[in-house]
Amino acid sequence: MVRKIKRGKIINRVRPKSDRAKLRESGDWPLLECLVSETWQEPVAITQMMIARRSPKGEIAIGVFLIDLGCLGMKDAFGRIVPSRRAYRQEVKRLSTHQEMVRIDLDLAAKIIQEAIAYARELGFEPHRDYHQAKHVIGDAHPENCATPIPLGKDGKPFYFAGPYDDVDRIMKTLTRKLGLDGFTYVVPLSEDVEFFQPNDG
């Protein structure tokens, strides 16, 4: 709280809440919508997800999640406060540039996140550090009420498809220690200088 003296009077002014504080409260705001990649059930696709909630003042909290259902779980995430629906639509447009997005129920969205993280943890991978800030928008979801099965791995095994920013060596060593080379399938670059990929069909 800021205290300011004006003409002999003390005026108390409430300091505006930070975006971080608003994100922590956002789980109590009314849900605006949940969006997910149209191809989220395909085993080789990286899933994009956005959960949005609108405050009584019109601000919108968004949580954006990049999810690997193959083995890595929560690869990336961020939370953000945008000032209006117009700004929010710009965020949706940006997200839809790479993958077509469709609406889903909040409980399904929470179940996808929950099961992806649990599966990855069993394999030795923790969610991205920024997930803990973005997760507040999930709020009052009840993933246990959702009957939709979540596809994890591929053909009954963890599946790793190397991304351009992955620490491939670390991930491969983690999976190999946990499962052995025959315990998972993967597609990884032959070397850092070669753009071809070496597939392993298990």
Side-chain angles (χ1 to χ4, degrees):
M1 181 175 290
V2 178
R3 305 182 74 201
K4 184 176 180 180
I5 299 176
K6 183 178 181 181
R7 293 185 180 180
K9 294 182 179 181
I10 297 177
I11 301 173
N12 292 327
R13 292 183 177 176
V14 177
R15 180 174 295 165
K17 291 181 180 178
S18 67
D19 283 358
R20 187 180 295 271
K22 292 174 184 177
L23 279 170
R24 286 196 296 268
E25 297 176 355
S26 65
D28 295 325
W29 298 354
L31 182 69
L32 181 59
E33 66 179 350
C34 299
L35 301 172
V36 73
S37 305
E38 188 177 36
T39 57
W40 74 269
Q41 292 175 299
E42 297 179 11
V44 299
I46 295 296
T47 297
Q48 294 184 140
M49 181 186 293
M50 178 186 284
I51 299 175
R53 292 180 179 270
R54 188 171 184 268
S55 80
K57 294 181 179 180
E59 296 171 306
I60 296 173
I62 60 173
V64 176
F65 309 93
L66 188 66
I67 304 164
D68 175 18
L69 292 170
C71 70
L72 297 180
M74 188 62 61
K75 290 194 68 174
D76 203 352
F78 68 83
R80 181 175 298 164
I81 300 292
V82 295
S84 64
R85 281 182 178 267
R86 181 177 181 181
Y88 169 68
R89 297 317 304 176
Q90 290 296 324
E91 295 287 343
V92 173
K93 185 177 180 180
R94 249 193 305 273
L95 200 65
S96 303
T97 300
H98 304 291
Q99 294 180 340
E100 189 68 28
M101 307 293 288
V102 295
R103 289 189 176 188
I104 58 169
D105 180 77
L106 175 63
D107 290 345
L108 174 56
K111 186 176 182 181
I112 293 170
I113 290 172
Q114 182 184 76
E115 294 201 9
I117 290 175
Y119 187 61
R121 277 180 168 152
E122 290 178 0
L123 301 173
F125 304 107
E126 288 296 315
H128 190 278
R129 61 184 179 276
D130 292 337
Y131 166 70
H132 301 288
Q133 179 176 329
K135 70 179 181 180
H136 295 293
V137 300
I138 300 172
D140 57 353
H142 296 282
E144 69 278 4
N145 294 339
C146 178
T148 302
I150 308 302
L152 299 168
K154 180 183 177 184
D155 300 327
K157 292 183 178 182
F159 173 71
Y160 173 51
F161 189 97
Y165 307 110
D166 288 349
D167 185 342
V168 175
D169 186 57
R170 179 187 65 83
I171 293 168
M172 288 294 293
K173 286 179 179 178
T174 299
L175 289 169
T176 302
R177 280 196 303 269
K178 184 74 176 180
L179 304 168
L181 273 176
D182 294 331
F184 65 101
T185 57
Y186 58 90
V187 178
V188 299
L190 291 170
S191 74
E192 293 182 356
D193 299 320
V194 180
E195 294 184 357
F196 296 102
F197 282 76
Q198 175 64 50
N200 167 48
D201 296 325

